[in-house]
Amino acid sequence: MDRSFLALERELAVFLRRARASSGEMAREVHPELEPAAYGLLVRLEAAGRQRATELAAYFGVGKATMSRQLHSLENLGLVAREPDPADGRAWLVHLTEDGLARFRSVRDARRGRYVRKLADWDRAEVAELARLLHQLNARAES
């Protein structure tokens, strides 16, 4: 196999390992009882707004029971709430509570600050290129 792909695989493995650890740390910063896997739900709800549990389950590629359990946990922690879907009275929309949004944004902003400090000596064009390449990789992974 081409050495460049082997190097890519190695670096992505390191990156993903660190990302998983970082996600756990960020989850605990949002709330000490927040499961690391549930942090991604906060990211999605902040970005996309109100969502049905079925939409969230499809987005993350998990079953309805798994999503229901994670949302129930977030609701018990006061980070998300449910409201009836005006388009379908049988369905519910999940959204971040004010406290959940404030906690999430505080942790997210601190994380962004760490990125800025760690990449302070990078040229802005390099940062933009890395973002562009990661976006391209993510887009291809989703298609």
Side-chain angles (χ1 to χ4, degrees):
M1 181 180 267
D2 185 334
R3 285 181 183 241
S4 58
F5 284 99
L6 292 172
L8 174 63
E9 180 183 22
R10 182 178 56 251
E11 294 305 322
L12 281 175
V14 171
F15 181 78
L16 292 171
R17 186 182 75 242
R18 288 186 175 149
R20 279 190 295 277
S22 177
S23 185
E25 292 168 13
M26 289 184 295
R28 285 186 295 279
E29 288 176 31
V30 170
H31 193 285
E33 296 175 39
L34 182 63
E35 295 178 33
Y39 182 82
L41 282 169
L42 302 180
V43 172
R44 179 66 181 164
L45 288 169
E46 198 271 341
R50 288 168 164 72
Q51 300 264 291
R52 288 184 182 183
T54 53
E55 294 170 319
L56 290 166
Y59 179 81
F60 286 102
V62 299
K64 288 188 260 184
T66 299
M67 183 55 57
S68 178
R69 184 186 62 75
Q70 288 181 343
L71 290 173
H72 184 70
S73 173
L74 289 170
E75 196 171 14
N76 285 341
L77 296 175
L79 302 173
V80 302
R82 295 182 308 152
E83 64 185 41
D85 184 345
D88 181 353
R90 299 167 297 166
W92 294 87
L93 294 175
V94 180
H95 62 91
L96 290 170
T97 62
E98 285 184 34
D99 184 48
L101 183 60
R103 287 172 178 251
F104 169 76
R105 285 184 174 167
S106 174
V107 171
R108 182 204 53 203
D109 292 348
R111 179 188 63 199
R112 285 183 181 167
R114 288 190 294 273
Y115 288 153
V116 169
R117 286 188 299 280
K118 286 182 180 189
L119 301 176
D121 60 340
W122 283 37
D123 182 271
R124 292 286 177 149
E126 291 175 317
V127 175
E129 180 66 1
L130 177 59
R132 186 189 70 74
L133 290 170
L134 287 172
H135 174 77
Q136 186 175 334
L137 180 66
N138 287 327
R140 288 195 180 177
E142 288 181 11
S143 62

